[in-house]
Amino acid sequence: MDRIEILAMLEAAASLVEIDSIRQIVLKKAQELGFYMTPEAEPVKVLPRSQNIALLTKRMPTDYHFGTFFVPAFAGQLGRAGYTLMMNEISPDELRSKTLPTHMSPEQTAGIIVIELFDKEYLNMLYDLGIPTISIDACYGADTSLLRCDIISMENTASTFTLTNHVISAGARRLGFVGDVKHCNSFHERWTGFCFALCSAGLPLDQALCILDSDDFPYYDPEWLRSKIQAMSVMPDAFICANDFIALGTMTALKRKGVSIPDEVMVAGFDGIPQSAFVEPALTTAQIPSNDIGRLAADMLLSRIENPDRPFQSTYVKTIPLWRDSTARK
């Protein structure tokens, strides 16, 4: 038995003695044997771990966005783990000044999830906070940037390649793409799949048949889209759109122009939002498993909170093409 063990036994014995005079005798004897009591340390104040998860976005998901179903699944998974999701929409001023939302305190934030926020400088500010962070999708050019957080995304290139091949097989020879390919990494990957399909089929890429303006322009406005289509010298056989929201606007623009879908122009989107099934004609698209991504994102963030030093990872989740009437030529 070493000296430390003996001292521990003497301390335990002293603490059990109710008569203070006897306790002092025990402690004095310990000193005679060469053991000395150290002053009691101040109790360490352990702050309770914050249970808040901050969702940061440039715009809250709407009915026309896959995030409408992603967020409830994500929040539900977090809730079962004892966390509370705090949703924050970044204002234009906060985006410009690279500041956090007024009601967000880093000290009270256990983790961050980023959705529909593709400003590189703002994201770098977030990463510098050192708070476990996961991003749904990523900035344009993310494939050439070093990872600074975990990223989870839907699979884009293969599904868009398959959608484009589908309309080519249905007879399309002049194809256009609609959407800002630099809006985010997913849009750029969908553009890549589109271009790869054209190349594989031996068809030319004609950007005069594409609408690739910055998303500062009103893709939500069918009249603006109609004017862009009207300016084309030749009508495409098919439009592959960056998402369903843009595809639905493109279909409205074509209808206002008196163009028959799919007999004159085929249209395909991406996301698989509910509206895509009920528009006339029903929209061919790629289904994103929003609920599954929500649960997976929650698991990844919780794992990052528990293991902050493990290497960052980028994860893709399979998407599924859905063949509908907007590409079904008779």
Side-chain angles (χ1 to χ4, degrees):
M1 182 179 298
D2 59 25
R3 293 167 64 87
I4 295 176
E5 292 175 330
I6 295 170
L7 177 58
M9 292 175 61
L10 290 170
E11 288 186 54
S15 66
L16 293 173
V17 178
E18 296 181 354
I19 302 173
D20 186 64
S21 60
I22 299 178
R23 183 174 185 274
Q24 293 303 319
I25 292 173
V26 172
L27 295 177
K28 182 179 180 181
K29 188 62 177 177
Q31 291 176 1
E32 291 174 356
L33 293 173
F35 297 100
Y36 295 91
M37 305 294 291
T38 57
E40 292 186 4
E42 288 291 325
V44 178
K45 294 181 180 179
V46 179
L47 296 176
R49 184 180 66 174
S50 172
Q51 298 299 105
N52 291 335
I53 301 295
L55 184 150
L56 302 181
T57 182
K58 188 176 177 181
R59 61 179 65 88
M60 289 295 179
T62 66
D63 288 344
Y64 291 89
H65 191 275
F66 89 96
T68 305
F69 299 96
F70 162 87
V71 172
F74 178 78
Q77 195 84 339
L78 288 178
R80 286 186 285 275
Y83 288 86
T84 300
L85 182 64
M86 311 294 289
M87 299 180 68
N88 301 272
E89 190 168 37
I90 309 299
S91 71
D93 286 342
E94 290 164 344
L95 202 63
R96 281 191 296 270
S97 62
K98 306 299 180 283
T99 54
L100 295 173
T102 305
H103 302 295
M104 179 182 166
S105 169
E107 294 76 17
Q108 298 177 0
T109 303
I112 297 173
I113 181 164
V114 175
I115 182 171
E116 279 296 310
L117 182 56
F118 305 120
D119 184 294
K120 289 184 179 179
E121 292 183 7
Y122 195 92
L123 291 172
N124 282 329
M125 180 274 291
L126 291 179
Y127 303 151
D128 288 342
L129 296 174
I131 299 173
T133 299
I134 184 170
S135 177
I136 305 303
D137 201 353
C139 295
Y140 164 71
D143 54 345
T144 60
S145 301
L146 297 175
L147 284 176
R148 297 194 63 195
C149 76
D150 295 313
I151 298 174
I152 184 168
S153 180
M154 63 293 301
E155 195 293 310
N156 299 290
T157 306
S159 281
T160 307
F161 178 85
T162 302
L163 291 171
T164 307
N165 265 343
H166 176 73
V167 298
I168 292 172
S169 298
R173 292 297 177 267
R174 299 186 301 273
L175 284 81
F177 188 92
V178 186
D180 177 5
V181 301
K182 296 183 178 180
H183 167 69
C184 61
N185 196 56
S186 283
F187 276 25
H188 186 258
E189 290 179 342
R190 293 168 196 176
W191 165 253
T192 300
F194 169 77
C195 293
F196 185 38
L198 291 179
C199 181
S200 297
L203 297 175
L205 170 62
D206 186 353
Q207 293 198 22
L209 302 178
C210 300
I211 303 173
L212 305 174
D213 300 73
S214 162
D215 63 1
D216 291 334
F217 287 86
Y219 280 92
Y220 58 84
D221 182 2
E223 278 304 302
W224 178 79
L225 289 167
R226 188 188 65 79
S227 69
K228 300 294 291 187
I229 296 170
Q230 187 70 34
M232 296 177 180
S233 58
V234 179
M235 183 68 67
D237 298 320
F239 282 117
I240 305 298
C241 301
N243 65 13
D244 287 350
F245 174 74
I246 293 173
L248 295 178
T250 300
M251 290 176 69
T252 300
L254 289 169
K255 290 175 182 178
R256 290 181 182 179
K257 187 173 164 52
V259 175
S260 174
I261 306 169
D263 294 332
E264 294 180 81
V265 177
M266 293 180 279
V267 180
F270 206 108
D271 280 356
I273 61 173
Q275 292 86 345
S276 66
F278 300 109
V279 68
E280 178 59 40
L283 178 65
T284 289
T285 185
Q287 180 70 59
I288 297 174
S290 303
N291 291 331
D292 293 329
I293 292 179
R295 288 187 287 268
L296 178 59
D299 289 342
M300 288 177 63
L301 184 56
L302 293 172
S303 177
R304 171 62 58 192
I305 292 171
E306 294 299 324
N307 304 281
D309 297 326
R310 66 175 172 78
F312 294 126
Q313 64 185 46
S314 181
T315 301
Y316 281 87
V317 178
K318 181 181 179 180
T319 54
I320 302 173
L322 301 176
W323 312 116
R324 295 181 179 145
D325 291 344
S326 68
T327 60
R329 282 187 172 171
K330 300 178 178 64

